Amino acid sequence: MKRFLESPYVVEMVRNIAAMYAHGWDERNGGNISMLLTEQEVSDYVEPASVLRTIPTGFTEPFLEGRYFLVTGTGKYFRNVPYDPADGLGLIRMTDAGRRAELLWGFSDGGRFTSEMPAHMMSHAARLRADSDNRIVMHCHPDNLLAMTYVHDLDERAFTRTLWQMETECIVVFPEGVGVLPWMLCGTNEIGVATAEKMRSRRLVIWAQHGIYGAGRDLDEAFGLIETAEKAAGIYMKIAHLPLRQTITDEGLHQLEERFGVKAREGYLD
Ligand code: 2HA
Ligand code: ZN
């Protein structure tokens, strides 16, 4: 049997964790990632019947029954994960209608999955219903997006339109817009349900004064969505206090729709 530590799943996860830390998105133990894997993918590396231990989740999500996830661990510093991936990451299988997770590899110090498990797993279920190829849910704390939630209207249409106007790429990368949640207590089932509800029709959800969730078919997609939104938020924070002379017009945004074959979220453009 091959070593899971050397699998492309762990290697790619670690590479992205290092890049997220380098961007300053994951101070201390901030941020978490979950990656959906198939039994076929994991069975080259672990024996599916060899369960190390079972960890209760505190929620129910029958849609994920029997599915495998590589997830970051609670309290783990992204800065340190590359030096000991088997400590910072765990491979789990959801069981008992999502009420428990069976650990197959990792969390070697006896730890458990991220405190944001409800938001991750409920978002996976929501995204999989919208796109059966979705595999990644990623959460982090990028400076400019956080800053923007202190000074910008949290209305989703207004927030999305501002991001689209801050960089030509934005409407092409996330034409469905961003979801925005007001400040809520993190780590709870309530914020998980609210995040998943937004994820039904979007891949980006902002948690005001906290951070952002991105979803995608692979790590590049989730990372690229967050990277693009954060870039746009950075432009906004550079210009918001200056007199605005011009911006990208709705006419320009319509031209981008046509040129790149994307459709802006219904009602978001005039
Ligand atoms: O895991 O980011 O939202 C630390 C967090 C909680
Ligand atoms: Zn967080």
Side-chain angles (χ1 to χ4, degrees):
M1 202 154 271
K2 296 192 269 183
R3 279 158 55 86
F4 190 59
L5 186 65
E6 286 154 18
S7 70
Y9 318 114
V10 172
V11 169
E12 279 304 291
M13 191 81 150
V14 165
R15 197 171 67 79
N16 275 269
I17 283 171
M20 291 170 78
Y21 180 72
H23 273 68
W25 298 348
D26 299 277
E27 75 290 343
R28 199 173 181 272
N29 62 319
N32 23 75
I33 313 179
S34 52
M35 175 192 283
L36 175 67
L37 294 169
T38 64
E39 180 156 303
Q40 195 183 348
E41 286 167 334
V42 303
S43 58
D44 280 350
Y45 303 94
V46 295
E47 176 52 61
S50 298
V51 175
L52 302 173
R53 54 196 161 92
T54 300
I55 311 169
T57 65
F59 57 85
T60 309
E61 188 48 89
F63 193 71
L64 300 181
E65 177 70 30
R67 295 192 195 251
Y68 293 79
F69 292 93
L70 178 60
V71 288
T72 52
T74 186
K76 299 301 176 184
Y77 289 28
F78 270 28
R79 183 165 59 87
N80 296 336
V81 172
Y83 301 100
D84 193 356
D87 177 77
L89 305 174
L91 175 67
I92 56 167
R93 177 176 54 219
M94 302 302 280
T95 184
D96 190 17
R99 282 186 279 270
R100 289 181 296 129
E102 295 173 319
L103 181 69
L104 298 165
W105 176 90
F107 298 149
S108 60
D109 69 343
R112 50 183 283 144
F113 39 73
T114 167
S115 60
E116 301 294 0
M117 238 347 226
H120 276 258
M121 293 300 119
M122 293 176 194
S123 292
H124 272 288
R127 287 309 307 155
L128 282 169
R129 288 187 172 102
D131 173 8
S132 60
D133 288 332
N134 194 84
R135 291 183 145 226
I136 306 294
V137 173
M138 180 182 279
H139 165 66
C140 57
H141 306 158
D143 302 21
N144 294 296
L145 282 162
L146 258 101
M148 200 170 151
T149 65
Y150 288 83
V151 297
H152 196 283
D153 189 340
L154 295 183
D155 172 74
E156 285 169 343
R157 181 179 185 273
F159 206 98
T160 295
R161 285 177 53 83
T162 297
L163 292 177
W164 284 350
Q165 288 163 353
M166 291 304 108
E167 190 190 8
T168 298
E169 284 289 298
C170 285
I171 194 168
V172 180
V173 176
F174 49 94
E176 78 271 38
V178 298
V180 183
L181 289 179
W183 188 90
M184 290 175 73
L185 185 61
C186 56
T188 61
N189 290 350
E190 288 71 27
I191 202 167
V193 169
T195 306
E197 173 60 30
K198 303 283 184 199
M199 283 281 186
R200 287 172 55 181
S201 60
R202 303 167 189 85
R203 293 163 297 157
L204 284 171
V205 179
I206 290 165
W207 284 5
Q209 296 89 47
H210 182 135
I212 188 165
Y213 270 76
R217 292 179 170 187
D218 52 30
L219 287 160
D220 277 352
E221 183 181 352
F223 190 101
L225 281 162
I226 292 173
E227 190 175 36
T228 308
E230 168 62 3
K231 169 82 176 239
I235 308 295
Y236 178 77
M237 294 310 298
K238 275 201 164 87
I239 64 159
H241 57 291
L242 299 172
L244 189 70
R245 297 282 182 91
Q246 54 272 317
T247 187
I248 307 175
T249 61
D250 281 41
E251 170 55 29
L253 293 169
H254 280 301
Q255 285 178 30
L256 288 163
E257 281 185 293
E258 195 162 323
R259 174 82 186 175
F260 290 94
V262 297
K263 186 80 196 78
R265 191 179 195 84
E266 188 70 36
Y268 273 28
L269 291 183
D270 293 332

